[in-house]
Amino acid sequence: STGKPCFASMAETWLAIDTDAGVDDAVALSVALSSNVPVKLVTTCFGNCALDKVNVNVAKIRRAASLNAQSGPRICVGADRPLLGTPPMDAEYFHGCDGLGDAEDIAPIDMTDPLHALDTASAADALIALSEQAEAQGAALVLVTLGPLTNIAHAFARCPLLPTRLARTVCMGGCANARGNQSRVAEFNIAADPEAASAVFRAFECHGGEMIVVPWEVTLASPVPWPRFDAMLYPTPSSTSSSLRSFLASVCRSAYKGKAAEQGDDGAIVCDAVAVAVALGAVRGLDVERVNVEVELAGQLTRGQTVVDFG
């Protein structure tokens, strides 16, 4: 993982976000869509829930941000299973059956409405095309990955030099200390498709490009203090509440509200929002160390582990 967490020197920055749209993805996407950096593309992938649910969730998040298919980012559909074609895993135990906390007060969305429709391009093709557009227009395209790396592996296979066309890739995934959340040693996003993760890490090693990995342990060390978290999402009667704030409050209710005892007294762990904050240059004093990362593919107990060479 390598790179610098600030894009102040870049004349124009575009974001592309690959997501498996669960609860923390909703917060992360909302942060990105509310920033002054344009989100040009959102690609969807299996992960926290099934792909068809992820597609709907991203459309709902875009709508909550007062955007649509005309005014907001394209939503392009990606992989519904890992590279090997094995059944996908999910994290519905945390994100709910629908991936957005099973909040009953979120209005359904009509995906046949052109304002909410998905783009017809595949995730991989759309990312490649956007990189070409950015290069032609002199923009710096920053890719943020919030889920399994399957779409990115497909894109890199089709365009081996894509890693070098990206100004930076920021990946939420893995764990450098071998203390995972999906298994004893593997983090969920990597464990969901180890072959894809391995291909992506190898692509950066072989072809160059900058990749910052925000591992699980860094997100654990970056909690949002509970008073601040509650104040942002659950306003008092005297404070104002936007449609996006109300949406996120509903999405986060099941996973976070009243969960201080489970998640720790320091604050809410919102993993994907940390990666977006890094991508936006909002994290100051960040220590970034250049290391080599390989993904274990064969171990009976260690499949999906990110094996880090600090030497």
Side-chain angles (χ1 to χ4, degrees):
S1 310
T2 180
K4 302 173 184 177
C6 182
F7 308 114
S9 62
M10 296 179 180
E12 183 180 18
T13 300
W14 295 354
L15 287 184
I17 300 177
D18 188 77
T19 179
D20 55 347
V23 171
D24 60 325
D25 303 70
V27 178
L29 282 168
S30 297
V31 170
L33 292 170
S34 301
S35 76
N36 59 4
V37 179
V39 180
K40 295 288 188 175
L41 174 68
V42 178
T43 53
T44 63
C45 184
F46 77 93
N48 289 325
C49 55
L51 180 66
D52 58 342
K53 298 176 182 178
V54 174
N55 296 333
V56 172
N57 292 349
V58 175
K60 287 181 176 178
I61 296 164
R62 184 174 64 181
R63 179 187 64 183
S66 300
L67 298 169
N68 55 48
Q70 297 175 358
S71 62
R74 302 163 62 196
I75 302 173
C76 294
V77 179
D80 66 349
R81 63 192 63 234
L83 287 183
L84 296 184
T86 52
M89 63 174 60
D90 65 61
E92 293 183 359
Y93 67 92
F94 179 81
H95 298 275
C97 291
D98 71 349
L100 290 182
D102 295 327
E104 296 179 355
D105 52 348
I106 296 177
I109 191 167
D110 181 4
M111 299 297 288
T112 65
D113 184 334
L115 289 177
H116 304 307
L118 304 172
D119 199 276
T120 57
S122 72
D125 287 344
L127 181 58
I128 294 169
L130 184 62
S131 73
E132 294 170 348
Q133 182 184 354
E135 193 171 51
Q137 297 186 24
L141 179 58
V142 176
L143 171 64
V144 186
T145 71
L146 306 179
L149 291 170
T150 315
N151 290 336
I152 316 307
H154 282 304
F156 285 3
R158 297 179 195 180
C159 182
L161 294 181
L162 181 56
T164 64
R165 288 184 182 173
L166 301 168
R168 191 155 298 139
T169 296
V170 179
C171 167
M172 192 278 124
C175 49
N177 62 0
R179 300 179 68 175
N181 61 359
Q182 178 61 27
S183 72
R184 282 176 282 180
V185 297
E187 181 273 333
F188 176 85
N189 288 341
I190 306 301
D193 195 346
E195 281 72 22
S198 178
V200 170
F201 282 114
R202 285 202 314 271
F204 280 98
E205 182 180 2
C206 293
H207 300 292
E210 291 193 5
M211 184 181 191
I212 295 177
V213 176
V214 181
W216 169 242
E217 66 270 21
V218 168
T219 68
L220 291 179
S222 309
V224 181
W226 288 113
R228 183 179 179 188
F229 184 83
D230 291 341
M232 286 190 299
L233 296 185
Y234 306 106
T236 63
S238 61
S239 61
T240 59
S241 179
S242 67
S243 59
L244 181 57
R245 188 182 195 178
S246 298
F247 171 81
L248 290 177
S250 298
V251 168
C252 292
R253 185 181 301 118
S254 174
Y256 290 104
K257 193 167 179 62
K259 298 296 179 66
E262 295 178 23
Q263 296 205 22
D265 295 333
D266 291 338
I269 307 301
V270 194
C271 303
D272 291 340
V274 179
V276 166
V278 170
L280 292 173
V283 179
R284 304 303 177 189
L286 183 67
D287 291 328
V288 180
E289 186 171 357
R290 187 183 298 270
V291 297
N292 180 65
V293 180
E294 295 181 83
V295 179
E296 175 59 52
L297 302 179
Q300 289 185 335
L301 298 177
T302 56
R303 177 169 162 80
Q305 179 180 350
T306 42
V307 182
V308 180
D309 180 1
F310 288 99

